[in-house]
Each structure stands twice: as C-alpha cells, then as structure tokens.
Amino acid sequence: MVILTALRKETSLHPPTRLLLRNLATTDLLVGLFLEPLDVVYLLSVIHQDWYLCRVAETTTFIVGYTLGPVSLWTATAISFDRLLALKLAIRHSEVVTIKKTYAVITTFWVMSIVLSSSYVIESLVSFWYSHLTVASCLAISIPSYAVIFRWLRRQQTRVIHGNSRQQQRDEITMLRIARYRKTVSNILWVKLSLIMCYSPYGVASVLFFSSPSSSLFLPWQMTMSVVFVNSTLNPFLYCWKIREVRKAVKSTFKQS
C-alpha cells in the first residue's frame, strides 16, 4: 500500500513506466491480501480433512493465483520492453508509449488472465498451460530485450571511450545518460530476476505434479507455491532498494504521515 501511494505521488518517472510499476505493486498487494490467506485456508482444510472447504479453497486459490501470477509476469515484461523502446525510439518514446496505450495493455493483461484462469472451473489444464505459456512468452521477450539493451550500452560506451578530444564534453554528457539508463535497466532487471527465481521452482514442480500426480509430489508442489508468494513480499523491498525515485517517494510518504 505504501509503494502504491508513493508511486502515485512520484512524478519524476515516465508516466507509463510509473503506471506499469503501480500495476505490478497492485498484484503484489492482492497476493498478500487474498492469495496467501486462501492458501492457508486450503492447507488447513487438507489437514482437518474438510473436503468441501478444501475444494472451494483450492478452486479459488488457483483462479486468483493464475490471474495474479501471469499479470505480474506480463507487467514485468512490459516494463522490460518499454526500456527497449526507450532505447530504440529515443525522443519519440513519449509520443509512442502513451498513458492511454499503457492502460489498454494493462487492461488486456487483466482480462486475458481473468478469463483464462476462470477456465480452471471447466478444464484445469487450460489455466495450467496458460500460466506456463506466459512464463515462456515473457522469457522469450525479456531475454532478447535485455540482450539488445546491454549490447547497445557496451557499444556506446566503447564509442565514447575511443572518441576524439573535440567531442569530450558531448561524450561526457552521453556517458552520464548511458550510466543513468544502465542503472534504470539494471534495477528493473533485479525485479525481473526475482520473479524468475521465485516462479521457476513452481513451474517445474507443477509440470511434474500434473504430468504424474503423486502424493509424494504434493508437498514439494505446495512449498514451491509458497516461494511464489515470497516474491510479492520481496518486491516492495526491491522497489525501495533499487529504484531511487520510489525510495525517495516512500521516505516522503512516511515523513508526511
């Protein structure tokens, strides 16, 4: 909640980027408010063998989880792609990536995830494969995006280092911009890596469990789900630690309160 308030007040970030970060923070908040308590209810119902409550809690947990998880992944990927567009489009970035288009993209993420996760009631494999295709798609977009970004940064840095003395002042400005851009990209990469590390064990365990259901795999599968929830707890700290604008806004929010 503090992160959302801070991001709402923060004005130095590019508005579409800020909106994407707010959406990511919203999914983290919803995980803490709904998904984690639902998972506890589900586990307690299994322990106490309340099978009716177990079925209700399981269905609700999966629908909510298969909604929030993909939205988080798509949003983090959109932030990565936005940084690539900022690199490629330069001054045209603010004209092409508008707040209206960003709202449309975020709405698409939510509608797509809600519809496909709700299919769990009819056919669980649809939502299951949607979540895993989401992971694969996000990686397929993010990895090339970061590869292009860091290759460009390295090339620009090399060009500046080997530039002539006449361009020294201009190159110093360029180096400052490159350093600022590199820091922004690196900070976002931390958030992305946190997502991947927390979601990967669950993805592997889910494939094993659904392909060959076994009571021996149930507990490891549940434990990896808890690791996914940890990501939503870590993210606010990552925002404050790695994103200077968010850190300043959070400090300002606490001072005002």
Side-chain angles (χ1 to χ4, degrees):
M1 187 64 74
V2 174
I3 298 295
L4 282 172
T5 304
L7 286 170
R8 182 172 57 83
K9 294 179 179 179
E10 176 56 43
T11 57
S12 61
L13 288 169
H14 185 224
T17 303
R18 184 177 60 183
L19 180 59
L20 288 169
L21 285 171
R22 285 180 63 187
N23 191 57
L24 195 59
T26 299
T27 60
D28 294 333
L29 178 63
L30 292 176
V31 167
L33 289 177
F34 298 105
L35 198 53
E36 291 181 4
L38 279 169
D39 191 50
V40 171
V41 171
Y42 171 64
L43 291 175
L44 288 175
S45 66
V46 172
I47 293 171
H48 294 287
Q49 298 184 355
D50 187 339
W51 304 123
Y52 174 76
L53 179 60
C54 178
R55 285 193 297 272
V56 173
E58 179 191 32
T59 302
T60 309
T61 299
F62 274 92
I63 291 174
V64 175
Y66 282 137
T67 298
L68 297 179
V71 170
S72 293
L73 290 169
W74 283 121
T75 304
T77 302
I79 295 172
S80 305
F81 192 65
D82 173 65
R83 292 300 84 202
L84 178 62
L85 290 177
L87 173 67
K88 293 293 185 180
L89 298 174
I91 59 174
R92 292 184 58 243
H93 177 248
S94 58
E95 299 175 7
V96 175
V97 182
T98 62
I99 197 76
K100 186 176 180 179
K101 291 178 182 177
T102 307
Y103 268 116
V105 169
I106 289 174
T107 301
T108 302
F109 292 161
W110 280 101
V111 171
M112 180 172 60
S113 296
I114 290 171
V115 170
L116 291 174
S117 65
S118 298
S119 66
Y120 181 84
V121 178
I122 303 170
E123 176 52 70
S124 61
L125 285 178
V126 173
S127 53
F128 170 77
W129 284 113
Y130 165 62
S131 65
H132 285 75
L133 286 173
T134 295
V135 173
S137 301
C138 289
L139 289 175
I141 295 170
S142 298
I143 292 174
S145 296
Y146 282 115
V148 171
I149 288 170
F150 283 108
R151 186 167 62 247
W152 180 88
L153 288 170
R154 187 169 60 251
R155 188 166 59 244
Q156 288 297 311
Q157 192 169 10
T158 302
R159 184 187 64 79
V160 170
I161 290 172
H162 295 289
N164 56 50
S165 57
R166 292 181 181 179
Q167 296 178 326
Q168 185 175 0
Q169 186 175 4
R170 188 174 64 182
D171 286 346
E172 286 177 358
I173 296 173
T174 302
M175 284 296 289
L176 286 173
R177 289 176 178 172
I178 290 174
R180 192 180 301 118
Y181 181 79
R182 181 191 292 274
K183 186 174 182 180
T184 301
V185 171
S186 298
N187 292 342
I188 294 170
L189 184 58
W190 271 92
V191 177
K192 188 72 177 182
L193 289 174
S194 172
L195 276 167
I196 292 172
M197 287 189 294
C198 291
Y199 276 77
S200 295
Y202 175 72
V204 174
S206 295
V207 170
L208 293 174
F209 182 72
F210 278 91
S211 60
S212 180
S214 169
S215 57
S216 62
L217 292 174
F218 178 77
L219 183 58
W221 179 54
Q222 284 294 317
M223 290 175 66
T224 58
M225 188 182 295
S226 300
V227 174
V228 171
F229 299 156
V230 168
N231 175 253
S232 296
T233 305
L234 286 176
N235 277 344
F237 295 101
L238 281 175
Y239 302 150
C240 292
W241 175 37
K242 303 302 294 184
I243 305 176
R244 182 174 58 87
E245 293 84 357
V246 174
R247 185 167 61 250
K248 287 173 61 178
V250 169
K251 288 181 180 179
S252 175
T253 301
F254 277 118
K255 286 179 181 178
Q256 291 176 4
S257 60

